[in-house]
């Protein structure tokens, strides 16, 4: 039986891009428009913001990159809904209707995005929330899994978005570069599950024009890119100052902090390392985020309405209740409440059957909510947001010596005037909102794709350079996980070698080795965009038919990753790449009777956004090869 050994001895200088990009000086804040005709390398960039309560899609043509379009015209029986920037994340398994197609008489599945998380990663109060409990029961009754319904919803979302893009541009004859956003709070298994769902939804279906690419982008990073593209609207941010992007969505609230390295072109670096969230956030994750989005506001409102003795909400049928919550709460009181100045009471109009008989005889069918009650609905989400921002501001101060200059507030709940007003009172007017906070994440995903792809062009024009320089470049990111491989290390290299603790193997050349974890990137360490992390390996094999190098990648969320494999280590994926020479040309092993040979010069290179991106360099020819990556289920 063939047996392979993966070993690693030393690191190697990182790969670098030898192309020298011309430098442009564009002091004006006016965003440039491209003037050159379409190129052979033109493409369409698409950003998908799949949210807990609402989702959105944006896109742009690479030759008109400053014109970022938001997908609308959603299928709906209500004219008002068709022109919204986002569509509800809801799906009815019985009818196959989704988004605004779901009429008030249906009982759809909601919040199903959260089902990608394990129960231990969801706070108990959210885990027991009625929409999430209902989602589990509904899926169980329909014989569906969370992945099943996410795939069906994403397929509907993608088909509609593609059809809308096709009305504006000949997308059938252009390559597609797609980015899907994910919460920064998500653990690795949820990230890989999201990518799998996107693939199974058909987003990467074969097209005659060429392969569609897909990447994951963290939601607060995407929101920051979109907001900073509008930076002419804000007070000037100087070199050395920091900003926080706070993305308050339907389920999660994520924050990310950047320090400005250059203003024109705008270059920023993630300045605060990821860390485990303390008990205030209910669960320990290696990132800065919290489940304190608008779902808590909705849950508080619905709980209050069901508990009030002035109404009999339980007497309403599904259609009556859904119509009331949508019209009077979602598009009424919730979105218009600003705090100060406000009237003393907010009036809702529940269906007549919700009133007690003696109240039906009164001249009015209105139900009053006081300002104090409205504030109570927002209280838990607001407390979580303030706690998160307070921690993040302190960490930025600890790292940079200064508090952040501004907080950019985005997302669905981030568009709330009440949330903005309260935070501005807390942080002395430093909280800002973009023009379109609801669509900021989807537009930022488009910007992320555009900037990366335009920067790859071998012969960029002045138009290319001016567009690239108008978009914020994130020069380095902070790793939120430990990434590594499992390899055999000669025991004479190990001062902490222990025959009792280490798993010992004998390499084909006779060397005694121990199985160790090699963490090439640890949590909290920065990764520069232009200088990815690299590490060098060798491999033994006695299989003459071997054609490809297979390199398992492991992750750990531990504060201090273990030196030996343990329960905190999980296999993330396997990277596969064809060797550059046949087995017969590998280095022979003297005095080896089992036919082993040695391949030297395997160099792994990694950079990341939402998920890592790998390349393998095989042999002395310094050629980087794209790797095939198989993620664990």
């Amino acid at each position: 039986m063939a047996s392979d050994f993966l070993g690693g001895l030393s690191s190697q200088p990182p790969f670098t891009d030898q192309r020298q990009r011309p430098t442009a000086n564009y002091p004006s804040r006016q965003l440039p428009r491209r003037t050159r005709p379409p190129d052979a390398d033109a493409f369409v960039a698409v950003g998908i913001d799949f949210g807990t309560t609402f989702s959105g899609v944006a896109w742009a043509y690479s030759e008109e990159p400053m014109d970022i379009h938001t997908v609308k015209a959603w299928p709906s029986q209500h004219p008002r809904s068709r022109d919204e920037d986002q569509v509800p994340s809801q799906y009815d398994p019985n009818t196959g209707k989704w988004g605004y197609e779901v009429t008030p008489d249906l009982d759809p599945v909601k919040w199903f995005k959260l089902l990608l998380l394990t129960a231990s990663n969801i706070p108990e109060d959210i885990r027991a929330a009625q929409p999430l409990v209902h989602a589990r029961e509904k899926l169980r009754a329909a014989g569906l899994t969370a992945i099943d319904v996410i795939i069906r919803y994403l397929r509907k979302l993608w088909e509609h978005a593609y059809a809308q893009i096709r009305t504006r541009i000949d997308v059938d004859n252009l390559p597609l570069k797609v980015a899907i956003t994910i919460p920064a709070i998500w653990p690795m298994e949820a990230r890989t599950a999201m990518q799998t769902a996107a693939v199974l939804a058909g987003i990467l279906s074969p097209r005659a024009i060429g392969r569609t690419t897909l990447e994951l982008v963290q939601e607060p990073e995407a929101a920051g890119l979109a907001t900073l593209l509008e930076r002419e609207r804000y007070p000037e941010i100087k070199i050395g100052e920091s900003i926080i992007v706070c993305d308050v969505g339907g389920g999660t609230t994520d924050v990310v902090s950047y320090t400005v390295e250059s203003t024109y072109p705008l270059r920023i670096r993630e300045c605060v390392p990821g860390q485990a969230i303390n008990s205030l956030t209910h669960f320990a994750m290696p990132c800065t985020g919290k489940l304190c989005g608008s779902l808590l506001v909705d849950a508080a409102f619905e709980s209050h309405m069901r508990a009030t003795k002035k109404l009999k909400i339980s007497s309403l049928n599904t259609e009556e209740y859904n119509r009331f919550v949508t019209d009077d709460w979602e598009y009424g009181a919730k979105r218009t409440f600003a705090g100060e100045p406000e009237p003393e009471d907010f009036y809702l109009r529940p269906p007549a059957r919700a009133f007690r008989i003696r109240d039906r005889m009164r001249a009015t069918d209105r139900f009053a909510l006081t300002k104090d009650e409205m504030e109570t609905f927002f209280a838990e989400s607001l407390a979580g947001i303030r706690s998160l921002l307070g921690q993040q501001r302190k960490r930025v101060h600890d790292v940079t010596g200064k508090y952040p200059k501004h907080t950019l507030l985005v997302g669905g709940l981030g568009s709330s005037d009440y949330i903005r007003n309260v935070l501005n009172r807390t942080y002395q007017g430093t909280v800002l909102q973009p023009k379109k906070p609801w669509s900021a994440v989807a537009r930022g995903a488009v910007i992320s794709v555009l900037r990366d792809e335009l920067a790859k062009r071998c012969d960029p024009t002045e138009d290319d350079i001016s567009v690239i320089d108008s978009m914020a470049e994130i020069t380095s990111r902070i790793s939120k996980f430990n990434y590594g491989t499992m390899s055999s290390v000669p025991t004479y290299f190990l001062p902490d070698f222990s025959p009792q603790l280490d798993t010992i193997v004998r390499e084909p050349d006779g060397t005694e080795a121990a199985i160790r974890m090699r963490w090439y990137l640890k949590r909290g360490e920065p990764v520069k965009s232009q200088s990815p992390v690299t590490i060098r390996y060798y491999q033994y094999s006695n299989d003459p038919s071997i054609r490809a190098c297979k390199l398992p990648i492991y992750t750990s969320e531990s504060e201090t990753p273990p030196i030996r494999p343990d329960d905190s280590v999980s296999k993330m994926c396997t990277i596969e790449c064809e060797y550059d020479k046949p087995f017969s040309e590998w280095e022979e092993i003297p005095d080896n009777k089992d036919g082993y040979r040695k391949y030297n010069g395997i160099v792994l290179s990694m950079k990341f956004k939402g998920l890592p991106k790998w390349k393998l360099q095989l042999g002395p020819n310094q050629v980087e090869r794209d790797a095939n990556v198989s993620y664990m289920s």
Side-chain angles (χ1 to χ4, degrees):
M1 179 181 294
S3 178
D4 298 338
F5 291 83
L6 178 65
L9 294 176
S10 61
S11 61
Q12 173 170 306
F15 298 120
T16 57
D17 186 351
Q18 300 300 321
R19 300 193 303 268
Q20 294 297 314
R21 185 167 65 86
T23 302
N25 181 20
Y26 290 94
S28 172
R29 293 190 177 191
Q30 296 299 315
L31 298 180
R33 293 182 61 87
R34 295 165 59 82
T35 57
R36 73 177 187 185
D39 280 352
D41 54 359
F43 60 92
V44 174
V46 183
I48 300 174
D49 172 20
F50 170 44
T52 303
T53 54
F54 284 86
S55 298
V57 183
W59 66 277
Y61 177 44
S62 63
E63 309 314 302
E64 298 173 355
M66 306 315 296
D67 294 330
I68 301 176
H69 310 274
T70 301
V71 170
K72 298 185 181 182
W74 306 107
S76 174
Q77 294 183 356
H78 198 299
R80 177 188 64 187
S81 303
R82 293 180 56 82
D83 200 41
E84 292 285 340
D85 284 344
Q86 292 194 316
V87 61
S89 299
Q90 57 183 1
Y91 180 82
D92 182 60
N94 297 328
T95 63
K97 292 185 176 181
W98 69 290
Y100 291 114
E101 284 183 339
V102 176
T103 50
D105 59 302
L106 298 179
D107 188 23
V109 178
K110 301 179 181 180
W111 293 17
F112 45 83
K113 176 182 174 180
L114 293 183
L115 296 178
L116 285 179
L117 298 171
T118 61
S120 61
N121 284 335
I122 304 176
E124 187 174 351
D125 52 346
I126 299 299
R127 204 183 314 155
Q130 193 274 334
L132 205 55
V133 172
H134 175 266
R136 294 193 193 97
E137 294 174 348
K138 190 88 172 177
L139 293 180
R140 193 180 301 116
L144 300 173
T145 65
I147 287 288
D148 291 333
V149 73
I150 289 171
I151 290 169
R152 296 183 184 191
Y153 179 83
L154 284 179
R155 183 178 293 122
K156 295 278 191 179
L157 185 72
W158 177 248
E159 289 173 351
H160 174 77
Y162 193 91
Q164 289 300 306
I165 297 171
R166 182 188 273 165
T167 66
R168 304 287 298 274
I169 195 170
D170 185 15
V171 67
D172 293 336
N173 292 305
L174 288 166
L176 286 172
K177 312 290 183 182
V178 182
I180 295 183
T181 60
I182 55 171
I185 200 173
W186 268 13
M188 187 56 66
E189 59 267 24
R191 297 172 185 230
T192 56
M194 183 71 252
Q195 186 176 61
T196 299
V199 172
L200 295 177
I203 293 175
L204 295 186
S205 297
R207 305 168 71 239
I209 192 61
R211 184 172 68 95
T212 299
T213 64
L214 175 67
E215 65 180 46
L216 301 184
V217 180
Q218 294 185 88
E219 290 169 1
E221 177 176 310
L225 292 175
T227 306
L228 290 170
L229 194 60
E230 305 173 4
R231 62 187 183 274
E232 74 278 0
R233 298 178 61 237
Y234 308 130
E236 184 177 0
I237 303 173
K238 300 177 181 178
I239 295 174
E241 293 180 337
S242 301
I243 58 173
I244 293 177
V245 180
C246 182
D247 176 21
V248 190
T252 56
T253 294
D254 292 330
V255 294
V256 64
S257 299
Y258 299 105
T259 297
V260 177
E261 295 183 331
S262 168
T263 53
Y264 293 99
L266 180 59
R267 295 192 176 100
I268 57 178
R269 59 177 171 81
E270 194 173 351
C271 64
V272 174
Q275 66 175 28
I277 299 304
N278 63 29
S279 59
L280 285 174
T281 64
H282 303 292
F283 63 127
M285 295 294 295
C287 47
T288 307
K290 188 176 180 181
L291 283 170
C292 54
S294 65
L295 59 86
L296 292 182
V297 182
D298 295 337
F301 166 76
E302 295 191 37
S303 177
H304 175 83
M305 296 304 293
R306 291 182 182 278
T308 181
K309 296 180 179 179
K310 297 179 181 180
L311 294 175
K312 296 191 300 179
I313 293 295
S314 60
S315 67
L316 301 180
N317 61 35
T318 298
E319 180 175 2
E320 291 172 325
Y321 180 75
N322 288 342
R323 192 181 300 278
F324 165 61
V325 171
T326 299
D327 293 345
D328 282 56
W329 171 247
E330 178 63 43
Y331 291 101
K334 176 184 171 184
R335 297 197 185 189
T336 59
F337 180 60
E340 293 289 349
E342 292 287 355
E344 286 301 316
D345 294 320
F346 285 78
Y347 289 99
L348 310 180
R349 293 183 179 275
R353 288 203 299 135
F355 291 93
R356 297 182 180 277
I357 295 177
R358 65 175 181 270
D359 294 328
R360 293 180 197 174
M361 305 304 293
R362 296 180 180 178
T364 178
D365 59 354
R366 297 187 303 173
F367 177 79
L369 289 173
T370 67
K371 186 170 67 173
D372 288 344
E373 287 173 329
M374 289 292 294
E375 290 179 344
T376 300
F377 302 151
F378 285 82
E380 188 174 359
S381 284
L382 186 57
I385 296 165
R386 294 169 79 169
S387 171
L388 205 56
L389 281 176
Q391 294 177 56
Q392 188 76 347
R393 285 172 59 84
K394 183 180 184 302
R395 293 167 64 202
V396 171
H397 182 272
D398 291 344
V399 170
T400 68
K402 295 184 290 187
Y403 285 105
K405 180 75 175 291
H406 294 290
T407 296
L408 307 180
L409 190 62
V410 299
L413 191 57
S415 65
S416 164
D417 290 338
Y418 176 66
I419 297 290
R420 183 198 62 211
N421 291 341
V422 172
L423 293 179
N424 260 327
R425 289 197 296 271
T426 304
Y427 300 117
Q428 293 77 50
T430 60
V431 177
L432 306 169
Q433 285 175 324
K435 293 178 182 177
K436 299 178 179 180
W438 275 79
S439 62
V441 173
R443 289 184 288 113
V446 173
I447 293 168
S448 177
V449 172
L450 286 170
R451 200 188 191 290
D452 286 354
E453 294 296 326
L454 293 177
K456 291 178 184 177
R457 289 181 166 171
C458 296
D459 186 21
T461 66
E462 288 189 4
D463 282 343
D464 284 327
I465 297 167
S466 64
V467 168
I468 292 169
D469 287 347
S470 69
M471 297 175 174
E473 176 186 2
I474 300 175
T475 61
S476 68
R477 296 175 175 87
I478 303 294
S479 177
K480 294 176 175 61
F481 302 93
N482 303 294
Y483 297 91
T485 59
M486 196 181 298
S487 62
S488 58
V489 182
T491 57
Y492 55 76
F493 276 158
L494 300 173
D496 56 355
F497 170 69
S498 169
Q500 291 76 34
L501 299 177
D502 281 302
T503 300
I504 304 171
V505 297
R506 184 71 61 177
E507 293 193 336
D509 64 356
T511 301
E512 182 184 70
I515 301 300
R516 290 292 184 95
M517 297 306 305
R518 295 195 67 204
W519 300 108
Y520 56 84
L521 180 61
K522 295 183 180 180
R523 226 176 76 183
E525 292 182 343
V527 180
K528 293 185 177 180
S529 300
Q530 300 303 319
S531 302
V533 175
T534 62
I535 194 166
R536 187 179 182 91
Y537 299 91
Y538 57 84
Q539 186 169 28
Y540 291 107
S541 181
N542 63 352
D543 181 5
S545 66
I546 192 168
R547 294 290 182 271
C549 170
K550 295 183 180 180
L551 189 62
I553 302 296
Y554 297 85
T555 60
S556 172
E557 297 178 4
S558 298
E559 286 280 359
T560 303
I563 60 174
R564 302 175 181 88
D566 65 14
D567 292 342
S568 72
V569 176
S570 59
K571 186 177 179 180
M572 177 187 179
C573 65
T574 298
I575 302 173
E576 182 174 339
C577 187
E578 290 189 3
Y579 284 111
D580 64 331
K581 58 185 177 183
F583 179 78
S584 60
E585 297 180 15
W586 290 24
E587 178 185 337
E588 295 187 25
I589 307 299
D591 303 323
N592 182 271
K593 299 179 181 180
D594 296 321
Y596 277 96
R597 289 175 177 261
K598 183 179 183 179
Y599 186 98
N600 270 309
I602 302 171
V603 183
L604 176 70
S605 169
M606 190 201 90
K607 56 184 178 179
F608 67 88
K609 286 186 181 177
L611 279 179
K613 291 185 177 182
W614 287 281
K615 288 185 181 291
L616 282 180
Q617 178 179 307
L618 299 175
N621 54 11
Q622 303 293 304
V623 174
E624 288 184 57
R625 296 163 180 252
D626 287 322
N628 295 318
V629 182
S630 300
Y631 286 95
M632 301 301 293
S633 301

